[in-house]
Amino acid sequence: MELINKRHRRVRAGLAFSRDGSDERARGSERVSIKNWEMKLIVNIRGMTQQEHARLESIDAVLRSETVRQQILPIIERVRAELARKKEALMTWEPIPLTVFGRTLPAEIRSAWVFVLRAGADTGPERHPNSHQRMMTFEGSGDMQTGDPGQWQSNVLVSDADAPLEQRWISIPQNVWHRPMVGADADWTVVSFHTVPAGELIEEKPDDNSQDGTKQMKYLDRK
């Protein structure tokens, strides 16, 4: 676990920070710049109820369990290996059996997942019409932007076990658009919790060719 913790302490890993504290990443002709990153770190907690904050604290405590982590690590290694094999994939994922957590999760949590996003990836906007997502960064770092296309709010997350909750977790309500942006230096590993079973989790993305302007697919159908 000491090795794991040391790896977690790569604060701001995968993101390039300039001397003025801004985060700048070039993506082709697009440059994303986050000014005053220290303030951005707390933005995902603003407006959160005390009840929701307490809920994240309870899940966080479960993930800090040595027993739980030892069961999650082999899943993470499988998902990493899959990403390494699939050279064109931007990310890979696998559900975590809820039995790993015993009966310690909040009752509304119906599925848990490991995602590994490739360094430099921008997987595009998505939302979940049938689930509230709660996500913790496990290794690496990234910017889980929320809001609407063209009006994104930055939420930089870091995998530092000693960092405050709001710097490691984000809570994304049902139907809220979000867009993970990963720095170029390292892959980003996250653990997500959803309020629907794994087989029912829907991903919705913009689609200009659709009458409704979006397309939906279940995550497990994409495997």
Side-chain angles (χ1 to χ4, degrees):
M1 280 305 298
E2 181 61 27
L3 175 61
I4 297 297
N5 288 334
K6 286 181 179 178
R7 293 167 72 186
H8 287 177
R9 291 192 176 94
R10 288 182 289 180
V11 180
R12 288 177 268 173
L15 299 178
F17 289 83
S18 63
R19 291 183 179 179
D20 67 355
S22 65
D23 162 32
E24 294 184 348
R25 286 159 290 172
R27 304 182 186 282
S29 61
E30 177 186 8
R31 178 168 292 276
V32 180
S33 180
I34 303 171
K35 299 297 183 181
N36 300 320
W37 72 270
E38 295 92 341
M39 293 300 297
K40 295 297 184 181
L41 282 172
I42 67 171
V43 76
N44 65 67
I45 210 72
R46 290 176 181 167
M48 184 181 295
T49 65
Q50 290 183 348
Q51 182 181 19
E52 179 64 12
H53 193 277
R55 186 178 290 109
L56 292 185
E57 286 182 325
S58 71
I59 303 174
D60 188 67
V62 173
L63 283 177
R64 287 178 181 271
S65 161
E66 177 72 15
T67 300
V68 169
R69 282 178 172 264
Q70 289 304 315
Q71 294 181 79
I72 291 177
L73 286 175
I75 300 174
I76 290 174
E77 292 306 318
R78 285 200 301 270
V79 178
R80 284 177 178 154
E82 183 180 6
L83 185 65
R85 290 194 305 270
K86 296 181 176 180
K87 302 300 184 182
E88 301 302 318
L90 295 179
M91 65 177 181
T92 49
W93 60 89
E94 182 179 323
I96 304 172
L98 291 185
T99 53
V100 165
F101 307 99
R103 298 183 179 181
T104 54
L105 291 175
E108 64 267 31
I109 301 300
R110 304 293 304 281
S111 63
W113 304 71
V114 166
F115 287 83
V116 179
L117 295 90
R118 192 179 299 280
D122 174 6
T123 62
E126 66 176 78
R127 64 182 179 183
H128 305 294
N130 65 341
S131 179
H132 187 131
Q133 178 179 1
R134 297 171 175 93
M135 189 195 85
M136 187 198 78
T137 176
F138 192 91
E139 184 171 274
S141 59
D143 183 6
M144 180 58 85
Q145 300 181 358
T146 56
D148 292 296
Q151 296 181 331
W152 294 109
Q153 174 65 66
S154 176
N155 300 284
V156 178
L157 302 175
V158 297
S159 297
D160 181 352
D162 297 325
L165 182 92
E166 60 268 25
Q167 296 180 17
R168 298 178 290 110
W169 282 87
I170 187 169
S171 179
I172 307 174
Q174 185 174 328
N175 272 323
V176 171
W177 288 104
H178 50 284
R179 177 185 186 180
M181 307 284 280
V182 188
D185 294 341
D187 296 342
W188 190 21
T189 301
V190 303
V191 178
S192 286
F193 296 86
H194 281 273
T195 54
V196 293
E200 298 178 16
L201 180 60
I202 294 174
E203 174 198 70
E204 184 173 19
K205 283 183 166 292
D207 183 0
D208 293 337
N209 297 320
S210 170
Q211 183 176 355
D212 297 329
T214 63
K215 62 180 179 181
Q216 294 185 354
M217 182 175 291
K218 291 182 179 179
Y219 257 104
L220 288 186
D221 291 345
R222 294 179 55 190
K223 295 292 284 183

